[in-house]
Amino acid sequence: GRGRAMAHGHGQCCCCCGAEAAAGSAERGAAWGLYLRIDRQRLQCLNERREGSGALVFRAWEERGDRAQFVESDDDEELLFNIPFTGNVKLKGVIVMGEDDGTHPAEMRLFKNIPHMSFDDAAREPDQMFSLSRDPRGELEYPTKIARFSNVYHLSIHFPKNFGAETTKIFYIGLKGEWTEAHRHEVTICNYEAAANPADHKLEQITPQTHFIS
């Protein structure tokens, strides 16, 4: 009997750790959920070889290993993403996953709140710059200076060079952070509704009498 009890106890322990690990993984996936907050209609990737392929790299953290979805540069090794969000973002970290070869981007430059950036615009000083390591499995997280990226409605990511290949290839870009709705518009609507409500009630009170008369 004793041996069985021990085995049972051990089983519980494993199960518990497994659940924790799964929860940790789910939590980590949720942290990388900013891709859901991208305005995909207006998302741009400049110098992509296949039109629309730049959008494919923004997906769920759990799906980062899907190597069928990638973007490759066209004329040279540069890629530039213009990423408008559907609200305001506090950007905390970025993951960039490529091949374990020369096509992996070697440098990443971040710009905030400059919509429709062009390669000419990208010559200016970025808000933050990173030297990248090859990351074929999407494990390296590049932390942003949060104070600088606390109110981002548009993010541009410029990859000026890679590790020596003619073109750059990216499988996945993860964006970690918090999203809040852009409030300005809604506040106006709320105020308007609040002001309109008393009038609604008056109408309701009048209506039965009108019916009564007619």
Side-chain angles (χ1 to χ4, degrees):
R2 229 179 105 208
R4 227 175 47 228
M6 275 174 66
H8 182 70
H10 183 69
Q12 271 179 324
C13 164
C14 280
C15 160
C16 156
C17 305
E20 261 174 47
S25 170
E27 216 170 90
R28 176 144 198 219
W32 294 93
L34 280 185
Y35 73 97
L36 294 166
R37 308 302 188 178
I38 294 172
D39 181 349
R40 290 192 175 258
Q41 300 300 305
R42 289 167 41 233
L43 174 69
Q44 284 182 315
C45 178
L46 305 187
N47 198 34
E48 58 184 4
R49 178 169 293 189
R50 204 171 74 247
E51 197 182 335
S53 55
L56 302 175
V57 304
F58 299 98
R59 55 183 187 270
W61 184 78
E62 297 81 2
E63 292 167 20
R64 67 195 184 287
D66 177 0
R67 300 186 92 72
Q69 303 196 62
F70 63 87
V71 61
E72 190 171 359
S73 63
D74 193 16
D75 293 334
D76 53 27
E77 73 274 36
E78 281 190 88
L79 280 170
L80 175 61
F81 292 87
N82 278 316
I83 308 156
F85 294 106
T86 56
N88 288 322
V89 164
K90 180 188 284 186
L91 184 68
K92 296 181 174 179
V94 184
I95 288 177
V96 180
M97 177 181 154
E99 292 276 28
D100 197 5
D101 63 18
T103 63
H104 195 295
E107 193 177 284
M108 170 171 69
R109 305 164 77 239
L110 303 181
F111 301 84
K112 69 164 190 197
N113 302 344
I114 311 172
H116 310 298
M117 269 189 82
S118 65
F119 283 109
D120 288 344
D121 297 329
R124 70 171 78 186
E125 193 66 30
D127 289 295
Q128 195 168 356
M129 192 173 106
F130 300 90
S131 291
L132 303 181
S133 301
R134 291 183 198 175
D135 187 12
R137 288 202 293 276
E139 293 167 334
L140 302 175
E141 182 180 329
Y142 298 94
T144 59
K145 296 171 181 160
I146 296 175
R148 199 170 282 185
F149 291 95
S150 65
N151 200 356
V152 181
Y153 58 84
H154 185 284
L155 177 70
S156 299
I157 308 179
H158 179 218
F159 297 99
K161 57 184 186 208
N162 58 24
F163 286 96
E166 279 181 28
T167 61
T168 296
K169 203 169 176 182
I170 298 173
F171 287 98
Y172 169 80
I173 295 177
L175 302 173
K176 182 168 91 169
E178 296 164 18
W179 175 86
T180 48
E181 276 181 75
H183 282 304
R184 238 169 283 131
H185 188 57
E186 285 144 57
V187 172
T188 338
I189 294 169
C190 295
N191 290 347
Y192 174 74
E193 279 171 9
N197 278 347
D200 292 343
H201 292 306
K202 271 186 218 137
L203 282 174
E204 282 162 31
Q205 288 157 9
I206 295 164
T207 316
Q209 294 166 1
T210 320
H211 279 298
F212 188 68
I213 293 161
S214 64

